[in-house]
Amino acid sequence: MSRHYLKKRSFQISGHRTSIALEQDFWDILDQMAVSKNLTLLHLITEIDAKRRANHPLSSRLRLTALHFILKKI
């Protein structure tokens, strides 16, 4: 399967169940980010969710956060 297809994961964030669909490359980066901060992926996503604007989709915020993390490394 290509890494460009969306992979959906489900989480319980702030008391409600949600599903997030991202490309595998973004999940890989978020996993790296969580490890680097000594957090679980759920805790990382919960932190990102808490800081985003209400009108900004969580999937977009996760992609941008992953992008910024990688850009800081290069």
Side-chain angles (χ1 to χ4, degrees):
M1 183 192 321
S2 172
R3 295 177 62 84
H4 300 293
Y5 287 101
L6 295 177
K7 180 177 181 185
K8 190 179 280 191
R9 294 189 186 180
S10 296
F11 299 94
Q12 184 157 339
I13 302 172
S14 303
H16 68 277
R17 197 98 176 125
T18 188
S19 292
I20 303 166
L22 298 174
E23 295 78 6
Q24 184 60 49
D25 290 334
F26 286 107
W27 286 122
D28 292 346
I29 295 166
L30 291 169
D31 285 333
Q32 288 176 30
M33 203 173 160
V35 167
S36 76
K37 294 179 168 230
N38 203 27
L39 297 172
T40 65
L41 182 59
L42 173 60
H43 284 103
L44 177 68
I45 291 172
T46 301
E47 278 187 3
I48 294 167
D49 183 51
K51 294 176 185 175
R52 74 181 168 99
R53 289 186 225 135
N55 64 344
H56 195 168
L58 180 55
S59 58
S60 294
R61 177 51 39 206
L62 292 171
R63 284 184 181 94
L64 289 172
T65 300
L67 177 63
H68 290 145
F69 177 74
I70 289 299
L71 289 174
K72 286 181 184 178
K73 291 179 85 171
I74 54 176

